[in-house]
Each structure stands twice: as C-alpha cells, then as structure tokens.
Amino acid sequence: MTAIPQARNRRTVRVTALCVLAVSALTMLTGCGEEDPDAGTNGVGRLPAGKIQEKSRAAADAAPAVHLAGTVVTGGVTFTLDMRLKSGGGSGSVTSKNSSFKLLRVGDELYLKADAAFWNHGGDTSAGGKLAGKYVKVPQDDPAYKKFSGFTEKDVLLPALLTLHGKLATAGHHEQAGTRTIRVSGDGGPGGTLDVSLEGKPYPLRLVRGGGAGTLTFAEWGKDFPAAEPAKSETVDYGGQLPGS
C-alpha cells in the first residue's frame, strides 16, 4: 500500500527539479536577473554610437535655448565659459588667465562689459576709466566682434564643440546631474566623450573634448531667458575700433 505514495513523491521531486532548471535557464537568458539599463528611457542607449551622436546633435539644434558652462582650450588659452544661448542672442561670462568679461548679444548687436584692467591691457590706460563697468558696443567691423561673438551664437558654438574625433563607440551607462545618460566616445576616449540624456529628448549633457581641450556641461535645454539691449545709461558707443583689438 505504500508503493503508490512513494511513486507520487518521486514524480513530484522530478517535476520540481525540472521547474528549477527551467527557471534557472530563463534567468540566464534574461541577464541573470539584472535590470535592463535602457528600460523606461528614450531608447537611444540601444542605438549604435554614430546614431546616438546624430540624434543628440539634432536635439541640440532644435532646442530654442541652452545653458552651457565649463572650459574650452583653444590656441593654448583656456577660457572658462558660463553662457546662455538662443537663436536671437546670448549672454554670460568668459574668463581667461588674464581677464574676465561679460558678453551680451541681441540680434546682431554685441556688447562687452569688463573692468578697467581689461581695457587698460590694450595699452590705452585712459580707456579703463571711460569703459569700465559699462556695456561697450562692439562695432561689427572690429576684430573683437568676430573673436567674441562666436561665444554667444548657439548655431555657431554648439556645432563646433559637439564633435568627437576618431572611431565612435558607446562607453556605458552613466549619470549627469541626476539624469541617466549613455556615453559615446571617440577612439575609446582620446577623441572625446559625450554623455547623452536617456530621459526625455536625447540632449547632450556633458562633453569632454578630445586632446584635453576642455570639459563642458549643458543644462536648461529649451528654457528661455531675457536678452534685451542694456539701458542707455549703462552703454558706451566707443565709435571706433576698441582698445586692444
């Protein structure tokens, strides 16, 4: 009378063992139970590196405004930028080793604001007293206009900056200021790295330029900001080429 229960027990053990094996195999196929890092994201993390960069550039181009901050090294000079940019203008500060100044562009009109030391650096010590602390209108035919206006032009500055060099590849999932990102690298890093948002639109959030040419962060994509011409009382029209141009 005891043979039947024992046979049932053996079948139960075999079925249980098979279930355990099936669950184990399924777990292995799904990444040992690890969460998909792209689950709940905008999906760009699943794309090839070149496509991620392409979508990131498109999102940056389409955004009406952005706030960028960090360093840019060009011609052996390091500039520290804190700029807000949009198609109709831009404003912010630029600092280099020997000087610091503010820029404001409204349409095609560019204004530069700096202290006396900045203006005296050009050799005209009388200029410092006249121009210090004022928004100085930069003539469009002045060499300074071309030199500085690029810092305020979103459609000029971003394409020049958001470029990685060498063979592109993805370099893992990361986080920038609390936002999940996918990183794209050029030549494994020496060509630069770009962190692209996995939340919402695939905006660039952090750029490390190749060759040690600076690091920048991007935020407040699409957030507008005021860019109006300064008051007459705060403005000086030098009427000619600026000192030190």
Side-chain angles (χ1 to χ4, degrees):
M1 297 294 293
T2 59
I4 295 175
Q6 288 176 353
R8 287 177 178 174
N9 287 340
R10 285 194 295 271
R11 286 197 299 271
T12 300
V13 170
R14 285 197 297 271
V15 171
T16 301
L18 289 172
C19 288
V20 170
L21 288 172
V23 171
S24 298
L26 181 61
T27 300
M28 292 178 65
L29 290 173
T30 56
C32 299
E34 293 181 2
E35 293 185 5
D36 180 357
D38 292 302
T41 71
N42 55 25
V44 296
R46 298 187 177 98
L47 300 176
K51 197 68 176 178
I52 296 172
Q53 179 176 249
E54 179 183 320
K55 285 186 170 292
S56 179
R57 284 180 175 176
D61 288 344
V66 65
H67 178 196
L68 67 85
T71 58
V72 172
V73 182
T74 178
V77 179
T78 298
F79 294 94
T80 300
L81 309 182
D82 189 351
M83 301 294 301
R84 294 179 184 273
L85 310 174
K86 60 182 179 179
S87 58
S91 66
S93 64
V94 180
T95 302
S96 64
K97 182 179 179 180
N98 298 317
S99 60
S100 179
F101 51 91
K102 293 183 178 181
L103 293 171
L104 170 64
R105 183 178 61 84
V106 183
D108 292 330
E109 302 296 340
L110 178 67
Y111 299 88
L112 191 156
K113 184 177 183 180
D115 59 16
F118 175 91
W119 296 113
N120 291 340
H121 184 70
D124 183 0
T125 56
S126 65
K130 300 174 185 177
L131 307 181
K134 298 287 188 177
Y135 283 100
V136 181
K137 189 174 181 179
V138 183
Q140 293 186 28
D141 59 354
D142 192 299
Y145 187 93
K146 183 178 181 180
K147 181 178 180 180
F148 294 131
S149 64
F151 286 122
T152 68
E153 297 182 37
K154 175 179 177 289
D155 295 339
V156 173
L157 188 59
L158 290 190
L161 293 175
L162 296 174
T163 300
L164 301 176
H165 302 284
K167 185 178 180 180
L168 300 183
T170 54
H173 292 73
H174 300 268
E175 186 177 290
Q176 173 62 33
T179 299
R180 290 179 292 173
T181 66
I182 182 70
R183 182 169 296 173
V184 178
S185 68
D187 278 345
T193 63
L194 179 67
D195 280 36
V196 177
S197 177
L198 287 174
E199 302 176 19
K201 295 183 179 180
Y203 290 127
L205 296 185
R206 183 174 185 268
L207 170 72
V208 178
R209 302 182 73 207
T215 299
L216 291 162
T217 59
F218 305 86
E220 299 178 83
W221 286 101
K223 184 177 180 180
D224 197 13
F225 61 91
E229 292 188 8
K232 295 288 185 181
S233 60
E234 300 177 9
T235 308
V236 173
D237 190 341
Y238 196 70
Q241 190 176 76
L242 299 183
S245 292

